[in-house]
Amino acid sequence: MQIRFDAFAVLLVWVGLVIPCSGQPLPARNPEVEKIVQEISSQNIKQIIEKLVSFGTRHTLSETDAEGRGIGAARRWIKSELEKYSRESGGRLKVEFDSFIIDPKDIEPRYRSRVPKPTEIVNVVATLPGSRPDSAARIYVVSGHYDSMCTQMMDTKCNAPGADDDASGTAVSMELARVMSKYQFDATLVFLSVAGEEQGLIGSTHWARMAKEKNWNVAAMLNDDIVGNIQGGGEEINNQVVRVFSEGVPVNETEADKRLREAIGGEEDSPSRQLARYTEETAVKYVPDFKVMMVFRRDRYGRGGDHTAFNESGFAAVRFSELHEDFRHQHQTPRTEGGVQYGDLPEFVSPGYIAQVARLNAATLASLALGPVAPENVRFGSARQAYDTLIHWSANPGSNVAGYAVVWRDTTAPDWQHELYVGNVTEFTLKGLSKDNLIFGVRAVDKEGDLSPVTVPRPPSPQRGTPGR
Ligand SMILES: [Zn+2]
């Protein structure tokens, strides 16, 4: 199939009307995703945060047996709350503790002193099984960490309200569980609340490694950590933008991948980077009064989070964080000093803003889990010199796929600049567009208009490769 680059078709895509090569226009938005977005409640998020703060401290090494104080009481409440959501939605949401003992010798040396003796770490896991047999093995994860700390890392008794870090992200994960468990998705959703983040990503690393060992297909992970503050340390206020951090070169890149990248580029096209672009597009589509600021960096400068644990196990994962942080309200024992209130207190987070972050997470997760898998075996048709660009891919295994779109951008552009719906085909030639100068990708589209993330082509397979001209 050869079609000349069609500026009109591209325009149609940009105004939201995707017209297949034959047949009816595809819907631009899935009404089910719109409905899910509308059900996210800032009031519910506010209540979750206040309840989590009420446990005084959620330090990973704090007491576990007391009623109403410490990390044990906090995780028992999270579990019971998720079980309530499960009952309200007919019991399909499966809630359990993922409990294990971490031995200091198994912790990265630089964090080892933070867990001086073997300690029980408990993640709370709520799983909503996928409803389509051809997609249920595909898993999407949303996560927040429910542990907290105050100024002194090893002080397990001080009050550590952790309203922003990270009751806000835990509230996003829990609120999504509440709303989304009432719906059915093709793929499986996992709503995580993890512990031991402040001690070196212990809970998330355990779950991600377990998923890798079990060969689970974790297609994407969204980490919400510090998503509640709208006023920075200065006077600037912003409640309309969230940062999405994504790694460029995958942390688990192999030597062979490295050699290929050095030959053809691709530093800005890791699966995590495609996931970040997906969140940005999803905001435009479903939460138009809210914006993603993509940051092309694994995390904030020199800092880390639970998504990195997933990256290290080979999974695509990104981090959501508020645009403006206020360091007086993170990892600070509550106190007044020189007329300044320190401490990660609930009055410094905005439930309305967190609800917007949750809406974006919900729309992203729903679009991914209702949508088709990203195209596989995507390759260029010719290795080196060519005036046109032939791309081919394997037919998508899902029965709901309507077709495919080819996307492209300048090598220096952060976002896909062009999208062309090419119909239900498995190859396409872009006349007069060269892979020397552009980055290309392919995505699948289903009958409800849900898009898969983009897959970037690899070089031709040896069998199919044609010698360069
Ligand atoms: Zn955090």
Side-chain angles (χ1 to χ4, degrees):
M1 178 172 184
Q2 290 203 338
I3 293 183
R4 188 157 283 280
F5 161 57
D6 185 341
F8 181 62
V10 172
L11 182 71
L12 288 177
V13 171
W14 280 109
V15 298
L17 189 66
V18 185
I19 304 209
C21 288
S22 59
Q24 295 297 307
L26 291 168
R29 277 179 282 275
N30 184 334
E32 201 169 348
V33 179
E34 290 183 310
K35 210 158 154 272
I36 288 166
V37 167
Q38 283 164 14
E39 287 179 32
I40 299 290
S41 151
S42 62
Q43 192 52 35
N44 205 55
I45 285 168
K46 183 170 185 277
Q47 284 167 5
I48 291 171
I49 290 170
E50 284 168 357
K51 183 71 188 179
L52 288 170
V53 168
S54 79
F55 295 106
T57 177
R58 305 186 306 279
H59 192 288
T60 295
L61 306 177
S62 62
E63 57 188 308
T64 55
D65 294 332
E67 283 293 317
R69 187 172 176 94
I71 194 163
R75 68 195 177 218
R76 287 191 293 277
W77 176 77
I78 294 170
K79 182 162 180 272
S80 70
E81 190 71 3
L82 290 164
E83 283 165 347
K84 188 178 89 188
Y85 303 159
S86 181
R87 283 194 299 279
E88 287 167 359
S89 61
R92 282 184 307 123
L93 187 70
K94 199 173 88 198
V95 185
E96 60 203 340
F97 279 151
D98 165 35
S99 163
F100 60 99
I101 306 289
I102 186 80
D103 194 294
K105 72 172 167 32
D106 297 328
I107 298 176
E108 221 185 299
R110 63 187 164 133
Y111 297 125
R112 201 163 286 165
S113 63
R114 297 184 182 184
V115 186
K117 60 177 197 305
T119 302
E120 184 187 26
I121 307 283
V122 183
N123 299 321
V124 192
V125 186
T127 306
L128 187 70
S131 58
R132 283 178 76 103
D134 61 4
S135 309
R138 196 160 28 113
I139 299 169
Y140 296 101
V141 179
V142 59
S143 181
H145 72 86
Y146 71 93
D147 63 308
S148 66
M149 61 176 278
C150 45
T151 310
Q152 297 302 323
M153 161 60 66
M154 297 309 292
D155 188 342
T156 64
K157 305 271 188 235
C158 57
N159 274 341
D164 197 15
D165 188 9
D166 181 32
S168 64
T170 306
V172 169
S173 178
M174 290 176 69
E175 176 66 355
L176 263 58
R178 183 185 73 83
V179 171
M180 296 177 81
S181 58
K182 298 184 174 70
Y183 293 81
Q184 299 215 350
F185 299 91
D186 302 358
T188 293
L189 297 178
V190 174
F191 308 91
L192 272 184
S193 306
V194 299
E197 195 271 350
E198 306 290 5
Q199 284 69 26
L201 318 179
I202 297 172
S204 54
T205 299
H206 177 264
W207 198 91
R209 284 186 185 163
M210 180 271 301
K212 189 187 176 192
E213 273 161 30
K214 291 188 175 173
N215 231 349
W216 286 359
N217 175 14
V218 178
M221 182 272 197
L222 310 179
N223 175 28
D224 289 271
D225 195 353
I226 311 186
V227 293
N229 181 65
I230 59 171
Q231 180 160 15
E235 292 304 302
E236 65 280 31
I237 294 180
N238 186 303
N239 62 359
Q240 294 170 337
V241 178
V242 67
R243 292 178 294 172
V244 175
F245 294 86
S246 58
E247 66 175 11
V249 175
V251 65
N252 67 333
E253 185 182 53
T254 64
E255 263 308 306
D257 289 341
K258 176 171 179 281
R259 281 195 297 277
L260 181 62
R261 178 172 55 77
E262 285 165 352
I264 65 172
E267 290 80 1
E268 309 302 344
D269 282 280
S270 68
S272 297
R273 191 58 51 78
Q274 307 306 353
L275 179 59
R277 292 189 177 102
Y278 194 93
T279 68
E280 190 189 36
E281 295 170 347
T282 303
V284 173
K285 217 166 151 182
Y286 289 107
V287 199
D289 52 350
F290 201 58
K291 283 191 180 56
V292 165
M293 172 183 160
M294 289 194 293
V295 184
F296 283 9
R297 178 174 279 156
R298 179 202 280 190
D299 204 315
R300 298 149 309 152
Y301 193 90
R303 291 185 283 166
D306 289 316
H307 57 302
T308 302
F310 280 72
N311 289 153
E312 283 171 351
S313 280
F315 303 130
V318 297
R319 176 189 185 131
F320 293 80
S321 276
E322 63 208 21
L323 180 63
H324 296 310
E325 292 179 74
D326 187 333
F327 304 114
R328 294 169 300 188
H329 305 143
Q330 287 178 24
H331 298 184
Q332 292 284 350
T333 307
R335 66 190 186 281
T336 313
E337 221 176 82
V340 177
Q341 176 70 58
Y342 289 85
D344 192 350
L345 298 161
E347 58 258 42
F348 300 119
V349 300
S350 160
Y353 176 76
I354 301 167
Q356 289 288 69
V357 177
R359 287 178 189 114
L360 174 56
N361 271 258
T364 303
L365 216 57
S367 300
L368 289 168
L370 290 167
V373 68
E376 289 170 2
N377 302 314
V378 182
R379 289 183 181 271
F380 286 122
S382 61
R384 288 190 292 274
Q385 302 101 311
Y387 300 110
D388 305 327
T389 295
L390 168 66
I391 306 170
H392 59 90
W393 54 90
S394 295
N396 198 297
S399 49
N400 196 31
V401 167
Y404 302 87
V406 173
V407 295
W408 65 97
R409 66 177 206 271
D410 293 335
T411 59
T412 51
D415 304 299
W416 297 112
Q417 295 167 307
H418 308 277
E419 186 167 67
L420 181 64
Y421 185 80
V422 298
N424 201 357
V425 297
T426 57
E427 65 170 58
F428 192 79
T429 297
L430 292 135
K431 296 289 257 179
L433 297 181
S434 165
K435 63 183 174 302
D436 292 340
N437 306 331
L438 298 162
I439 311 272
F440 292 96
V442 181
R443 70 198 322 176
V445 186
D446 73 12
K447 289 168 185 146
E448 288 80 36
D450 303 310
L451 300 166
S452 79
V454 168
T455 308
V456 171
R458 293 173 71 85
S461 58
Q463 303 80 16
R464 251 191 97 131
T466 50
R469 281 185 282 192

